[in-house]
Amino acid sequence: MAVLPIRIMGDPVLHSPASEVTEITDEVRTLVADMYETMDLAPGVGLAAPQVGVPQRIYVYSYVDDDDRPWRGEIINPELWMTPPEPGSPDPDEESEGCLSFPGERFPLRRSDRVLVTGVDLSGEPVRIEVDGWRARIMQHEFDHLDGILYVDRLSDGDWKTVQKIARKRGWTRGGASWTPGVDDLEG
């Protein structure tokens, strides 16, 4: 297994829809193992293949549920259904999120509170996940990556302008920027 560089905001692979996985090969299995290792070291609760430069419809996740049970898995070729989000502005304390592809920042974003995700796992077995709250946010966030959408693309105009200033200051407006967990210090 290997820790992979995580692409940052301006990279074209993050802004294009990913391709379906047509066959679960040893290469796909290695990619998923590397994604878990990268996500864990980052640390993150989810990681999509485009974030490590691979334009395929795969993401991994890892979180602890409300009953302190760990949940960890991968979803290949996911489909997402969700209830409409509640109208209104997001609560900055309860509805903020961050992204490993826009590291070091968090912004409030309203998401649906309930989702259903289906797909397959590495064995080709069907996966069906119905979750709410924080877990639903993770699923929507990672699914967005597969459609070429970063959470910062969904922010209010004011927050979007702040994102643009940060990206310019850090040199993230062009492709090619990345960071490697355990290697790069992104503080400050």
Side-chain angles (χ1 to χ4, degrees), residues 41-59:
L41 190 57
V45 294
L47 185 68
Q51 290 181 273
V52 294
V54 180
Q56 290 191 313
R57 296 189 73 78
I58 303 170
Y59 68 80

Side-chain angles (χ1 to χ4, degrees), residues 19-174:
S19 301
E20 294 235 345
V21 175
T22 56
E23 182 181 1
I24 300 171
T25 62
D26 285 343
E27 185 177 272
V28 169
R29 287 181 192 88
T30 298
L31 171 63
V32 168
D34 291 347
M35 288 171 63
Y36 279 123
E37 187 167 344
T38 303
M39 175 185 64
D40 291 344
L41 190 57
V45 294
L47 185 68
Q51 290 181 273
V52 294
V54 180
Q56 290 191 313
R57 296 189 73 78
I58 303 170
Y59 68 80
V60 298
Y61 61 89
S62 181
Y63 60 83
V64 176
D65 71 13
D66 297 335
D67 297 322
D68 290 326
R69 289 180 301 193
W71 289 88
R72 186 173 177 89
E74 67 278 343
I75 303 177
I76 299 169
N77 298 331
E79 293 188 37
L80 173 76
W81 292 269
M82 59 187 159
T83 59
E86 292 290 323
S89 297
D91 179 329
D93 295 324
E94 298 292 322
E95 296 178 284
S96 287
E97 63 187 75
C99 181
L100 297 175
S101 290
F102 196 80
E105 304 296 330
R106 295 184 66 78
F107 290 93
L109 177 64
R110 176 68 39 104
R111 296 269 193 188
S112 174
D113 192 52
R114 296 187 56 75
V115 301
L116 165 65
V117 181
T118 62
V120 297
D121 64 15
L122 276 178
S123 301
E125 294 297 317
V127 173
R128 178 185 171 94
I129 301 171
E130 278 188 79
V131 290
D132 59 9
W134 177 246
R135 296 172 304 272
R137 179 175 296 276
I138 295 167
M139 296 297 151
Q140 292 168 81
H141 181 109
E142 299 311 325
F143 187 86
D144 272 354
H145 278 298
L146 305 182
D147 286 340
I149 300 168
L150 298 179
Y151 92 103
V152 295
D153 297 331
R154 295 188 180 278
L155 297 176
S156 69
D157 288 345
D159 286 339
W160 173 247
K161 288 176 184 172
T162 301
V163 163
Q164 294 303 309
K165 287 178 187 174
I166 293 168
R168 278 192 303 276
K169 180 179 177 184
R170 295 182 182 166
W172 295 349
T173 55
R174 296 179 304 279

